[in-house]
Structures are given as structure tokens and as C-alpha cells.
Amino acid sequence: MRSQGLVVAIDGPSGAGKSTAGRTLAERLGYTYIDTGAMYRALALKAMRAGVSLDSEEALATLCRASQIELTDGGRRVILDGEDVTTGIRSPETSRASSLVSVHPGVRTEMVARQREMGREGHVVLDGRDIGTAVFPDAEVKFFLDATPTERAQRRLGELRAAGSDITLEEVEEDVRERDYTDTHRAESPLVSAWDALELDTTRLSPEEVLERMLAAVRARQGQPLDLGRLAEEHRRSPRRYLEALRSLALSVGLYRLPAGSEDEQRPHGEEEVYLVLEGRGRFRMGDEDVSVVPGHLLTVPPRVEHHFHSIEEDLLLLVFFAPAEGSTEAKTAE
Ligand code: DC
């Protein structure tokens, strides 16, 4: 039994936005952020410096057991045997090497044991490839973040360029492809989504939207009552139309705002939707039907049915239920 709080697991391929999401989520929850990839990176760096072959499981496992790897400053700094290696572990060579050292069961056993120890009391957000499947299969909340390979490569390129690298997009794409292959094809704990993980495609989401959806899921898991009044206030101050409020595997709930004179830009997709009109006035078209809507109206839209709000006279505020959860893989495959 964990005494302090939840274990939040975040898995997914490189460049899916895990570390930004993990760090900000931990900050908002007041949790400790643990970047497990940084641990494999630190070991890879040490192995390369020591001239230890990346194929040698025995030597790498021994090296791992003899290494002190600390994550400090809210997960921002990585200390290897007392040396700050935060920048050194981010090079493309270390990225490639970290993927190679992490295939060895002898290395993983040691890393997983350390990660379990770090998260034993809960109150942690762990980011990696096997957190929800191997490190903490009993994590209270699990996320699987993904994005298209091109988007992930673009993000990595941005990070590397910001760090002063002159690497090309083609080189980053090649690296992402190679690491995706190694990480998903290894025999020991390959990268897969846990069956009970909430899948989030971050391709078209801003970091704020990813964070909001993750917080919505944690809130749902904590059984925190939804304060619609407070959310509506927050929404009024936000420039965005949709604000997710609660999220589970099968459902997402949010507030959707359509200003007077605007048009609903939504296109038919795989989810079933239910709208409850909270405020405003306008019209709603679905198939051949066209009705005027006022507060209190409940509108049910089957999956993939053409529909939209129009002729909006007064700002519409809608409570929306998406099933399966908006942006989930299940919703996508239903398209
Ligand atoms: O998340 P990252 O890119 O910093 O991870 C570097 C490598 O470490 C990644 O290619 C695979 C490996 N890794 C792993 O096998 N298991 C983890 N929990 C985290 C990372």
C-alpha cells in the first residue's frame, strides 16, 4: 500500500512529448518526476567512455550495478557518480547507445529495481517505455503518449537545435526510426501500450492541452468531484474552444465554447457525442434535422454523423461527452 499518493506512469516512443508532459504534470500535482530514460542514457554514456561494448550484457550489468545515478532538481539534472551529465546524455550518439544498452535483461533488472524503489511510496510521475507494463503494472494512472513519426522528429530537431546542434531533419528522422525499431522489437519489455493505459495522440495538441487532458484523467482517478463553475470560469479566460474536464479510458468530458457569430468547425469522427447546452442560443444541424437550441437541450450524436452548430446568436457553452475518449486510438480506428 502506498502511503503518499498515486503512481502515474507515462510511456511512449521518443518525441511523443513525455518529458514535457511528465515534468509539468508532476509540478501541478506536487509530485516527484522521474525520467527513467535519463538513467539508461547515463549508463550508455558511462559505457561509451569506459569502452565497454554495448553488446556485452554481462559487462553492462556489472557497470550498471556499480553506477550511482541521481535525478535532482525536479528531474532537470542527472548526476552520474557525482558528475553532472545533464547535457552530455542528450547527444545523438548517447540516444542511440541508450536504446542499445536498454535491450539487455541484466541491465533492465537493475534499472527496474531502482525505479520501483524510487516510486515505492507513490507521489511520483515516471516517464519511460515500460513503466505501465513492467515497472509499475499497478500504477493508478497510466498514459501512452504518441505522435506521428514526422512530428516526433520535428520536436527532437527543435530540442537539439536549441542545444546548439546543427543536425539535419533527415538525421533525426533516421535516429527516431532506428530507436523506434529497437525499442519495440527487443525481447525484454518492448515498448507497448499497457491494456489499461489512456492513449493520447499529441500530434495536434499543444503542451498545455496534453497537460490538461492528463490532469483530467488524474482527477477522474482521484475521484475528485468536477467543479463545473470553476471550470467554466477557467474556460472563459482561455482562448481555446475546448477544455477537457474529465477523462477515462472510455470517455472524455469537457466544455466547448462557440462564440456568437462563429461556426462549429468539428468534422464527423469516430466518437459518439452528447452535448448539454449550458448557456447561449443558436441552431444545430444533424442530417436533415435543424433545430434551435437553448440551455437545457440535450443532443445525442451517433459516431460519424455529420453535424454542426450554426447561426449562433448568443455564445454557446456546451458540456460535451465523447465516447470513446476524444483523441484516443479507439476513436481513431473507429473512423
Ligand atoms: O526517453 P529517452 O529517449 O530518454 O530514452 C532513452 C532510451 O532508453 C530509449 O531509446 C529506450 C530506453 N528506455 C527504456 O528502455 N526503458 C525506459 N523505461 C526508458 C528508456
Side-chain angles (χ1 to χ4, degrees):
M1 184 69 188
R2 291 187 258 269
S3 58
Q4 290 192 38
L6 310 181
V7 169
V8 179
I10 308 177
D11 290 304
S14 50
K18 299 188 305 289
S19 57
T20 306
R23 189 167 294 125
T24 49
L25 181 67
E27 266 167 27
R28 283 288 291 269
L29 296 171
Y31 279 21
T32 302
Y33 169 64
I34 301 171
D35 174 2
T36 64
M39 298 170 71
Y40 290 95
R41 285 171 179 271
L43 176 65
L45 182 70
K46 185 163 171 169
M48 287 194 295
R49 283 175 175 178
V52 171
S53 161
L54 303 179
D55 295 329
S56 170
E57 174 167 7
E58 212 25 66
L60 287 169
T62 306
L63 196 68
C64 185
R65 283 192 291 272
S67 305
Q68 201 191 11
I69 303 168
E70 294 162 273
L71 307 173
T72 62
D73 191 15
R76 275 181 200 81
R77 308 222 75 80
V78 185
I79 315 292
L80 170 67
D81 300 325
E83 177 195 344
D84 190 329
V85 292
T86 310
T87 321
I89 60 165
R90 299 290 158 197
S91 72
E93 299 76 53
T94 321
S95 294
R96 216 164 294 130
S98 63
S99 188
L100 297 175
V101 303
S102 69
V103 304
H104 302 297
V107 168
R108 303 202 69 83
T109 306
E110 176 64 20
M111 291 295 197
V112 169
R114 291 185 188 196
Q115 291 153 12
R116 285 191 183 140
E117 183 55 31
M118 291 158 107
R120 196 165 49 92
E121 302 284 326
H123 220 252
V124 284
V125 175
L126 293 104
D127 139 12
R129 302 288 190 291
D130 61 340
I131 309 302
T133 50
V135 184
F136 283 105
D138 62 344
E140 283 81 7
V141 191
K142 299 180 187 180
F143 296 101
F144 191 87
L145 264 50
D146 208 348
T148 60
T150 315
E151 174 66 21
R152 294 191 284 115
Q154 290 279 8
R155 290 179 191 169
R156 268 274 179 267
L157 182 70
E159 283 167 17
L160 290 166
R161 285 271 168 86
S165 163
D166 57 0
I167 196 162
T168 65
L169 179 62
E170 289 68 37
E171 287 169 314
V172 182
E173 276 179 332
E174 177 59 26
D175 172 53
V176 165
R177 239 193 323 272
E178 226 176 79
R179 282 213 290 149
D180 278 359
Y181 188 86
T182 321
D183 295 349
T184 52
H185 286 77
R186 67 182 179 219
E188 181 82 9
S189 312
L191 171 66
V192 281
S193 176
W195 69 270
D196 51 350
L198 286 123
E199 296 185 356
L200 262 180
D201 183 342
T202 67
T203 308
R204 276 180 291 276
L205 297 178
S206 67
E208 295 75 35
E209 287 172 309
V210 175
L211 175 63
E212 165 197 310
R213 278 156 177 70
M214 294 174 97
L215 280 168
V218 174
R219 268 200 296 269
R221 185 61 181 78
Q222 289 173 326
Q224 286 179 357
L226 186 58
D227 184 343
L228 269 183
R230 192 187 58 74
L231 268 162
E233 265 312 302
E234 195 181 316
H235 198 202
R236 255 186 271 279
R237 289 194 301 271
S238 140
R240 285 188 280 117
R241 290 195 167 181
Y242 184 66
L243 182 77
E244 188 169 71
L246 274 186
R247 188 184 188 95
S248 75
L249 270 185
L251 184 72
S252 85
V253 180
L255 288 174
Y256 191 43
R257 189 162 41 108
L258 288 166
S262 73
E263 283 278 327
D264 184 6
E265 290 154 5
Q266 291 228 70
R267 292 286 159 265
H269 37 62
E271 304 100 356
E272 176 177 354
E273 291 173 17
V274 176
Y275 293 100
L276 173 64
V277 183
L278 298 175
E279 293 172 7
R281 259 162 221 288
R283 294 191 71 79
F284 178 72
R285 190 190 330 269
M286 180 168 71
D288 297 335
E289 277 177 71
D290 196 314
V291 295
S292 72
V293 294
V294 292
H297 262 151
L298 193 68
L299 307 155
T300 308
V301 184
R304 291 179 296 283
V305 167
E306 193 80 56
H307 64 280
H308 80 292
F309 290 90
H310 65 102
S311 313
I312 300 165
E313 294 164 36
E314 277 173 36
D315 293 4
L316 278 175
L317 182 64
L318 307 154
L319 180 64
V320 197
F321 297 79
F322 289 103
E326 178 252 7
S328 69
T329 312
E330 230 183 302
K332 270 192 290 174
T333 48
E335 266 174 29

